[in-house]
Amino acid sequence: MGSSRMSQGQLIAAIGGVLLFIFLFLPWFRVAGVSKSGWEGQPSTDIYLLITALIAVGTALTARGHVTLPGSTMNGATFLLGFVGSILLLWLSVFDFPAGAGRKVGVYLGFVACVVIAYGAYRAIQEQAGGGDRRERRPRPPVA
């Protein structure tokens, strides 16, 4: 894979990042009959998820323009952010959900988007390492 084009894994992570950003505007909580979006729920979760979405999209976009940061892999950072975001939202929805609040579709879609980001970044890491296609390539026998 050349460094001048976006890998399939980076594209998957970028799509997850765009979806995560959109899902932050959906209803996540219902408290006292009022729906609250992902921006209004937890005080710091929204900022973390915004950073995760921006890094996922930014990594894919910078892959096209030969922009690199010395000593770091943006695919690795994207994977870490997506993985931690997945754990954070899983924890939020199961253990740390606001008392008296009902769960809405946005929190579940946000979780799925974080998983997609982590998967896409993991796949990009594998592609970068040359392990994107695990099938063994054998030379074809000459045709007589």
Side-chain angles (χ1 to χ4, degrees):
M1 181 189 94
S3 62
S4 65
R5 58 177 254 234
M6 186 183 322
S7 73
Q8 189 174 22
Q10 289 170 330
L11 178 63
I12 292 169
I15 290 170
V18 169
L19 290 175
L20 178 59
F21 180 75
I22 292 168
F23 295 157
L24 281 169
F25 292 96
L26 294 176
W28 282 40
F29 308 97
R30 184 165 191 87
V31 180
V34 177
S35 290
K36 294 187 176 188
S37 72
W39 296 109
E40 301 165 320
Q42 300 286 355
S44 59
T45 305
D46 57 346
I47 300 301
Y48 179 83
L49 295 176
L50 174 64
I51 291 169
T52 301
L54 291 175
I55 294 294
V57 172
T59 299
L61 292 177
T62 57
R64 297 186 64 97
H66 301 288
V67 178
T68 59
L69 298 174
S72 68
T73 69
M74 292 305 292
N75 292 329
T78 303
F79 170 75
L80 182 63
L81 287 169
F83 181 75
V84 171
S86 301
I87 299 300
L88 179 70
L89 287 179
L90 184 62
W91 182 267
L92 171 68
S93 11
V94 174
F95 299 111
D96 196 24
F97 210 74
R103 291 164 183 81
K104 302 298 273 178
V105 69
V107 72
Y108 300 115
L109 292 176
F111 171 74
V112 170
C114 283
V115 170
V116 168
I117 291 169
Y119 169 75
Y122 176 77
R123 189 163 171 174
I125 292 167
Q126 296 300 313
E127 291 167 354
Q128 187 177 18
D133 186 8
R134 296 178 190 240
R135 292 179 288 160
E136 188 177 323
R137 297 186 188 263
R138 294 183 213 155
R140 293 184 176 205
V143 178

